[in-house]
Amino acid sequence: MASLIEIRKLRKQFGAFVAVDDVSFSVDRGEVLGFLGPNGAGKSTTMKMITGFLTPTAGTAVVSGHDIGKEPMKAKEKIGYLPEGAPAYPEMTPQSFLRFVAEVRGLRGADRDRRVDEVVSRVSLESHLYVPIESLSKGYKRRVGLAQAIIHDPEVLVMDEPTDGLDPNQKFHVRNLIQKMAPNKATILSTHILEEVEAVCTRAIIIAAGRIIADGTPDELASRSANHNSVLLRLKRESGTQLREKLEKLPGVKRVEFKEDDAGASLHLFSERGRPILKDVSRLAFDQRVEVDEIREERGKLDEVFRELTHEATVKAGREN
Amino acid sequence: MGKIFVIFKRELGSYFITPLAYVFIIIFLFLSGIFTFNMGSFFARNEADMVSYFRFLPWLYLFLIPAITMRLWSEERKQGTIELLMTLPISLGQAVIGKFLAAWVFTIFTLSLTFPLWITVNYLGDPDNGIIVASYIAAALMAGAFLAIGAFVSAISKNQVISFVVTVVISLLFVLSGTGVVIDFFREWAPDAVVRSISELSFLSNSERMSKGVIDIRNIITYLSMIVCLLIACAITVDMKKAD
Ligand SMILES: Nc1ncnc2c1ncn2[C@@H]1O[C@H](COP(=O)(O)OP(=O)(O)O)[C@@H](O)[C@H]1O
Ligand SMILES: [Mg+2]
């Protein structure tokens, strides 16, 4: 079966400026795709093309089997979309706004009211239903946007920075919500918060200067960090100098960073291609009868990979923001 | 049709949530009264009719209708709701028509609130009510043409003030297009047929004819085709400008 979202060679040019360049990927049911990238990378532009707001310069997006360019109505019926900043008519109340969206989505009468009630309780909006949207706090406004996006229980959910500008509790709430809805949908969300990707995404795509530069599970991407499976070693000063040369020659060790202070020496051993070296290092220390104060294996972190990759790509494209 | 109605309903409802609608209605009625009784030399002529009211109506529209249309699309773009609207399963045409119809119905509703004038006129004298009905119908059509100009202009700019001013200026051209100044300008170089169609578009000469109760089918067709053309231009502009 084809994926719910299929993006093929999407490209968007604004004048001579290429905002999105040859982007292809697909998202299956149950997948939550984190769309990562620095500001101006082209995340929003890509989402606007998927949801039919912008017409691509080249390429297509196929949603639930409907090409957004050829069958825009059918595709749009399948998509729930939360645009950046969760726009809504400020003078309306959440209640009347959600009814409006439900009606545009073809829901009428009792059906409409039932769906509105359902999404309202889903995003916990009951207490603020009759207040004009313009007087709601950011968190509640975002909930209105989310409720609007899921009112027709869409197969495909696209959210542009759903947690941006929210406080930690609100972020937690929104992430929980996304996780609960994810299993029977194909979800794309953009963010530049990396912990969010680790918390909710099954897969991450890093985009910089309009191009995809990495695609994998959050763990896979993290393991691409230079820090991945590196070993941190603390010991007495004399033993440090004694062990240093031997460690540098140890197979699998790429590089050793050596630091000394009053308390002793610390060695940071980077592994060749991220392969585990902890065992070899501890065996060497044991064989040399060196007393070790602390030994620790480091995990790669997504934000390091993000920084390394996006920096490279943005500099290359001359598109630093 | 169903979706046009959903858009229409939301839009019309929004007029009455904000004070704008009420302010508009009050000013419209106040000025209507002044035009009918004071400036139209209603008493001096010693004749009870609404000729003077309908003759002044284009000038009233000129400054009041842009106040309705200035937010039609400008606001949608400024608030970013256009992104929401255009990604819902409705066509651009449905959105443009729904919003326009809401503005039109609101204007016609306001116009209908001038009925006390009609009653007064009937109380004071013995006017030809057939003429008055015809004039009201024509006034509603003319409002549509003004609104279509405003809808189109509001799609061009995010700024409501600019939208208001530009609408007034363009509408003014239409109001005056039948008068000597404009016609003479075109007569210099344009073919006769063009000159004639320009004067045909004139709100002022149209309303002059209409205030006497003459609505001919040409008038109606002129207004309706103007509305259709401007709404098409509006849709094209919205589509081009939506992402800016
Ligand atoms: N309507 C537009 N006209 C011209 N340039 C645009 C337009 N929209 C976006 N851009 C440019 O395209 C690039 C990508 O923008 P965007 O997709 O919003 O990035 P992101 O969402 O990743 O921060 C940016 O450099 C932005 O300035
Ligand atoms: Mg963005």
Side-chain angles (χ1 to χ4, degrees), chain B residues 153-215:
Chain B
V153 173
S154 83
I156 299 172
S157 171
K158 256 188 223 182
N159 185 316
Q160 298 197 8
V161 178
I162 293 176
S163 181
F164 180 89
V165 173
V166 174
T167 307
V168 171
V169 171
I170 294 181
S171 303
L172 185 63
L173 286 179
F174 276 101
V175 169
L176 294 176
S177 69
T179 62
V181 201
V182 178
I183 287 298
D184 286 348
F185 171 76
F186 280 101
R187 224 195 298 274
E188 299 281 310
W189 51 274
D192 258 8
V194 173
V195 175
R196 220 171 322 117
S197 14
I198 287 171
S199 65
E200 201 71 48
L201 287 177
S202 164
F203 290 155
L204 215 52
S205 27
N206 273 327
S207 79
E208 190 72 29
R209 256 174 285 160
M210 284 163 3
S211 67
K212 302 196 180 90
V214 190
I215 348 178

Side-chain angles (χ1 to χ4, degrees), chain B residues 1 13 63 69 80 131 145 171 173 240:
Chain B
M1 190 58 212
F63 290 100
T69 55
I131 290 184
S171 303
L173 286 179
M240 268 167 37

Side-chain angles (χ1 to χ4, degrees), chain A residues 20-57:
Chain A
V20 173
D21 192 4
D22 202 19
V23 164
S24 304
F25 60 85
S26 56
V27 189
D28 288 320
R29 196 181 293 276
E31 266 192 303
V32 180
L33 175 70
F35 218 45
L36 279 171
N39 284 328
K43 304 183 293 294
S44 298
T45 306
T46 306
M47 294 182 143
K48 284 173 188 174
M49 289 191 281
I50 298 172
T51 54
F53 184 60
L54 287 177
T55 313
T57 309

